[in-house]
Amino acid sequence: MRERSWSAVPVVTEPPTGGPGGDGRRFFEVPESGWHTLVAWAVAPGHLVRCLDLRPPEPVRVVRERRGERTFHVEERTRGDRSAVDGAIHDHLTCARVPSQPCGYRWFIALPEGVDDADRFFGLFGTASREAAREADPRRERDAMIAVADSLYGPPA
């Protein structure tokens, strides 16, 4: 079985977005959520790259509800916001018995042949994931995602 390890994922100097990389593969960025990160783990290092996240933090949209009325405003992202996102990802991975993902990187998945965009790609994982989630067993969700990844990229080397 191919080894799955965050540290085995190559580090690139620039985000591989916008078109084919040097090897002809097209990449898309992994959203910051535990579920999406678990998909990245299932895909394995041969189909992932990462780069340092040097972007300024994006603002946070805050929604407040008072007396049935919603208001929206934008605030700068705080260290606590960053910690909450990282903590939620860590908790999801821990429940699935997957090691924590290193912080400070942007992660990118290579689209498999026959899949044109990230929405379609994640949709393929959604069905398997929902069935495992009904049983409330994150390890089964992980195993189902690995099976989908192996069907998309071929058997492990």
mmCIF file of all heavy atoms in Angstrom, residues 31-53:
data_model
loop_
_atom_site.group_PDB
_atom_site.id
_atom_site.type_symbol
_atom_site.label_atom_id
_atom_site.label_comp_id
_atom_site.label_asym_id
_atom_site.label_seq_id
_atom_site.Cartn_x
_atom_site.Cartn_y
_atom_site.Cartn_z
ATOM 1 N N PRO A 31 -10.259 23.237 0.161
ATOM 2 C CA PRO A 31 -10.858 24.145 1.144
ATOM 3 C C PRO A 31 -10.459 23.760 2.569
ATOM 4 O O PRO A 31 -10.155 22.598 2.861
ATOM 5 C CB PRO A 31 -12.367 23.941 0.945
ATOM 6 C CG PRO A 31 -12.498 23.408 -0.440
ATOM 7 C CD PRO A 31 -11.262 22.567 -0.665
ATOM 8 N N GLU A 32 -10.481 24.744 3.460
ATOM 9 C CA GLU A 32 -10.086 24.523 4.847
ATOM 10 C C GLU A 32 -11.252 23.972 5.660
ATOM 11 O O GLU A 32 -11.996 24.707 6.291
ATOM 12 C CB GLU A 32 -9.599 25.819 5.477
ATOM 13 C CG GLU A 32 -8.281 26.296 4.950
ATOM 14 C CD GLU A 32 -7.810 27.542 5.682
ATOM 15 O OE1 GLU A 32 -8.607 28.506 5.816
ATOM 16 O OE2 GLU A 32 -6.660 27.548 6.117
ATOM 17 N N SER A 33 -11.420 22.666 5.625
ATOM 18 C CA SER A 33 -12.413 21.991 6.472
ATOM 19 C C SER A 33 -11.886 20.591 6.764
ATOM 20 O O SER A 33 -11.055 20.058 6.023
ATOM 21 C CB SER A 33 -13.780 21.914 5.787
ATOM 22 O OG SER A 33 -13.828 20.834 4.873
ATOM 23 N N GLY A 34 -12.378 20.014 7.848
ATOM 24 C CA GLY A 34 -11.947 18.664 8.198
ATOM 25 C C GLY A 34 -12.303 17.649 7.128
ATOM 26 O O GLY A 34 -11.500 16.778 6.790
ATOM 27 N N TRP A 35 -13.512 17.749 6.569
ATOM 28 C CA TRP A 35 -13.943 16.799 5.551
ATOM 29 C C TRP A 35 -13.060 16.891 4.309
ATOM 30 O O TRP A 35 -12.582 15.885 3.789
ATOM 31 C CB TRP A 35 -15.410 17.050 5.187
ATOM 32 C CG TRP A 35 -15.972 16.020 4.267
ATOM 33 C CD1 TRP A 35 -16.529 14.822 4.621
ATOM 34 C CD2 TRP A 35 -16.001 16.073 2.837
ATOM 35 N NE1 TRP A 35 -16.911 14.135 3.488
ATOM 36 C CE2 TRP A 35 -16.604 14.894 2.376
ATOM 37 C CE3 TRP A 35 -15.593 17.015 1.898
ATOM 38 C CZ2 TRP A 35 -16.803 14.613 1.035
ATOM 39 C CZ3 TRP A 35 -15.793 16.741 0.547
ATOM 40 C CH2 TRP A 35 -16.396 15.551 0.138
ATOM 41 N N HIS A 36 -12.819 18.107 3.822
ATOM 42 C CA HIS A 36 -11.986 18.286 2.630
ATOM 43 C C HIS A 36 -10.549 17.823 2.887
ATOM 44 O O HIS A 36 -9.899 17.256 2.009
ATOM 45 C CB HIS A 36 -11.996 19.752 2.185
ATOM 46 C CG HIS A 36 -13.312 20.188 1.636
ATOM 47 N ND1 HIS A 36 -14.249 20.831 2.405
ATOM 48 C CD2 HIS A 36 -13.858 20.071 0.393
ATOM 49 C CE1 HIS A 36 -15.318 21.088 1.660
ATOM 50 N NE2 HIS A 36 -15.109 20.630 0.438
ATOM 51 N N THR A 37 -10.054 18.076 4.079
ATOM 52 C CA THR A 37 -8.692 17.649 4.419
ATOM 53 C C THR A 37 -8.606 16.130 4.480
ATOM 54 O O THR A 37 -7.594 15.545 4.082
ATOM 55 C CB THR A 37 -8.249 18.299 5.744
ATOM 56 O OG1 THR A 37 -8.360 19.725 5.606
ATOM 57 C CG2 THR A 37 -6.816 17.948 6.085
ATOM 58 N N LEU A 38 -9.663 15.475 4.942
ATOM 59 C CA LEU A 38 -9.681 14.012 4.949
ATOM 60 C C LEU A 38 -9.656 13.466 3.519
ATOM 61 O O LEU A 38 -8.986 12.465 3.242
ATOM 62 C CB LEU A 38 -10.897 13.499 5.716
ATOM 63 C CG LEU A 38 -10.961 11.997 5.968
ATOM 64 C CD1 LEU A 38 -9.728 11.492 6.706
ATOM 65 C CD2 LEU A 38 -12.227 11.656 6.760
ATOM 66 N N VAL A 39 -10.327 14.140 2.609
ATOM 67 C CA VAL A 39 -10.251 13.748 1.196
ATOM 68 C C VAL A 39 -8.806 13.862 0.707
ATOM 69 O O VAL A 39 -8.285 12.959 0.047
ATOM 70 C CB VAL A 39 -11.190 14.604 0.308
ATOM 71 C CG1 VAL A 39 -10.916 14.356 -1.177
ATOM 72 C CG2 VAL A 39 -12.649 14.315 0.630
ATOM 73 N N ALA A 40 -8.137 14.962 1.057
ATOM 74 C CA ALA A 40 -6.738 15.136 0.645
ATOM 75 C C ALA A 40 -5.875 13.998 1.188
ATOM 76 O O ALA A 40 -5.000 13.481 0.494
ATOM 77 C CB ALA A 40 -6.206 16.492 1.116
ATOM 78 N N TRP A 41 -6.111 13.596 2.412
ATOM 79 C CA TRP A 41 -5.361 12.477 3.004
ATOM 80 C C TRP A 41 -5.600 11.206 2.186
ATOM 81 O O TRP A 41 -4.658 10.457 1.906
ATOM 82 C CB TRP A 41 -5.785 12.261 4.447
ATOM 83 C CG TRP A 41 -5.171 11.051 5.055
ATOM 84 C CD1 TRP A 41 -5.754 9.827 5.235
ATOM 85 C CD2 TRP A 41 -3.842 10.923 5.556
ATOM 86 N NE1 TRP A 41 -4.860 8.963 5.816
ATOM 87 C CE2 TRP A 41 -3.687 9.606 6.023
ATOM 88 C CE3 TRP A 41 -2.765 11.803 5.646
ATOM 89 C CZ2 TRP A 41 -2.499 9.148 6.581
ATOM 90 C CZ3 TRP A 41 -1.581 11.336 6.203
ATOM 91 C CH2 TRP A 41 -1.461 10.027 6.661
ATOM 92 N N ALA A 42 -6.842 10.973 1.805
ATOM 93 C CA ALA A 42 -7.182 9.766 1.046
ATOM 94 C C ALA A 42 -6.492 9.749 -0.311
ATOM 95 O O ALA A 42 -6.090 8.696 -0.804
ATOM 96 C CB ALA A 42 -8.698 9.666 0.865
ATOM 97 N N VAL A 43 -6.338 10.916 -0.923
ATOM 98 C CA VAL A 43 -5.729 11.014 -2.245
ATOM 99 C C VAL A 43 -4.265 10.583 -2.219
ATOM 100 O O VAL A 43 -3.765 10.009 -3.165
ATOM 101 C CB VAL A 43 -5.905 12.450 -2.796
ATOM 102 C CG1 VAL A 43 -5.013 12.706 -3.978
ATOM 103 C CG2 VAL A 43 -7.357 12.678 -3.143
ATOM 104 N N ALA A 44 -3.590 10.841 -1.137
ATOM 105 C CA ALA A 44 -2.195 10.439 -0.923
ATOM 106 C C ALA A 44 -1.208 11.392 -1.592
ATOM 107 O O ALA A 44 -1.555 12.136 -2.511
ATOM 108 C CB ALA A 44 -1.946 9.004 -1.365
ATOM 109 N N PRO A 45 0.048 11.364 -1.141
ATOM 110 C CA PRO A 45 1.046 12.347 -1.568
ATOM 111 C C PRO A 45 1.318 12.433 -3.068
ATOM 112 O O PRO A 45 1.649 13.505 -3.562
ATOM 113 C CB PRO A 45 2.318 11.911 -0.836
ATOM 114 C CG PRO A 45 1.840 11.144 0.324
ATOM 115 C CD PRO A 45 0.557 10.489 -0.108
ATOM 116 N N GLY A 46 1.159 11.357 -3.801
ATOM 117 C CA GLY A 46 1.468 11.382 -5.230
ATOM 118 C C GLY A 46 0.560 12.293 -6.044
ATOM 119 O O GLY A 46 0.864 12.609 -7.192
ATOM 120 N N HIS A 47 -0.552 12.701 -5.455
ATOM 121 C CA HIS A 47 -1.515 13.522 -6.184
ATOM 122 C C HIS A 47 -1.787 14.838 -5.470
ATOM 123 O O HIS A 47 -2.787 15.498 -5.731
ATOM 124 C CB HIS A 47 -2.812 12.738 -6.383
ATOM 125 C CG HIS A 47 -2.568 11.400 -7.002
ATOM 126 N ND1 HIS A 47 -2.200 11.250 -8.316
ATOM 127 C CD2 HIS A 47 -2.569 10.156 -6.462
ATOM 128 C CE1 HIS A 47 -2.010 9.963 -8.564
ATOM 129 N NE2 HIS A 47 -2.225 9.291 -7.468
ATOM 130 N N LEU A 48 -0.899 15.193 -4.554
ATOM 131 C CA LEU A 48 -1.001 16.435 -3.793
ATOM 132 C C LEU A 48 0.285 17.226 -3.925
ATOM 133 O O LEU A 48 1.354 16.648 -4.116
ATOM 134 C CB LEU A 48 -1.172 16.152 -2.293
ATOM 135 C CG LEU A 48 -2.424 15.475 -1.793
ATOM 136 C CD1 LEU A 48 -2.270 15.116 -0.315
ATOM 137 C CD2 LEU A 48 -3.616 16.386 -1.971
ATOM 138 N N VAL A 49 0.169 18.529 -3.799
ATOM 139 C CA VAL A 49 1.325 19.412 -3.591
ATOM 140 C C VAL A 49 0.891 20.445 -2.568
ATOM 141 O O VAL A 49 -0.300 20.637 -2.309
ATOM 142 C CB VAL A 49 1.848 20.091 -4.881
ATOM 143 C CG1 VAL A 49 2.365 19.072 -5.887
ATOM 144 C CG2 VAL A 49 0.800 20.986 -5.492
ATOM 145 N N ARG A 50 1.873 21.130 -2.002
ATOM 146 C CA ARG A 50 1.582 22.197 -1.050
ATOM 147 C C ARG A 50 2.573 23.327 -1.257
ATOM 148 O O ARG A 50 3.655 23.128 -1.808
ATOM 149 C CB ARG A 50 1.664 21.696 0.389
ATOM 150 C CG ARG A 50 3.029 21.106 0.739
ATOM 151 C CD ARG A 50 3.029 20.483 2.116
ATOM 152 N NE ARG A 50 4.195 19.646 2.321
ATOM 153 C CZ ARG A 50 4.798 19.491 3.470
ATOM 154 N NH1 ARG A 50 4.352 20.112 4.547
ATOM 155 N NH2 ARG A 50 5.836 18.697 3.570
ATOM 156 N N CYS A 51 2.175 24.515 -0.832
ATOM 157 C CA CYS A 51 3.082 25.657 -0.847
ATOM 158 C C CYS A 51 2.839 26.438 0.439
ATOM 159 O O CYS A 51 1.778 26.326 1.054
ATOM 160 C CB CYS A 51 2.890 26.527 -2.088
ATOM 161 S SG CYS A 51 1.342 27.438 -2.141
ATOM 162 N N LEU A 52 3.843 27.206 0.832
ATOM 163 C CA LEU A 52 3.672 28.028 2.024
ATOM 164 C C LEU A 52 2.517 28.996 1.813
ATOM 165 O O LEU A 52 2.336 29.528 0.718
ATOM 166 C CB LEU A 52 4.950 28.810 2.317
ATOM 167 C CG LEU A 52 6.111 27.976 2.860
ATOM 168 C CD1 LEU A 52 7.358 28.838 2.975
ATOM 169 C CD2 LEU A 52 5.752 27.372 4.211
ATOM 170 N N ASP A 53 1.743 29.221 2.846
ATOM 171 C CA ASP A 53 0.635 30.168 2.757
ATOM 172 C C ASP A 53 1.150 31.546 3.153
ATOM 173 O O ASP A 53 1.267 31.864 4.328
ATOM 174 C CB ASP A 53 -0.509 29.741 3.669
ATOM 175 C CG ASP A 53 -1.765 30.552 3.433
ATOM 176 O OD1 ASP A 53 -1.721 31.511 2.631
ATOM 177 O OD2 ASP A 53 -2.793 30.223 4.044
#
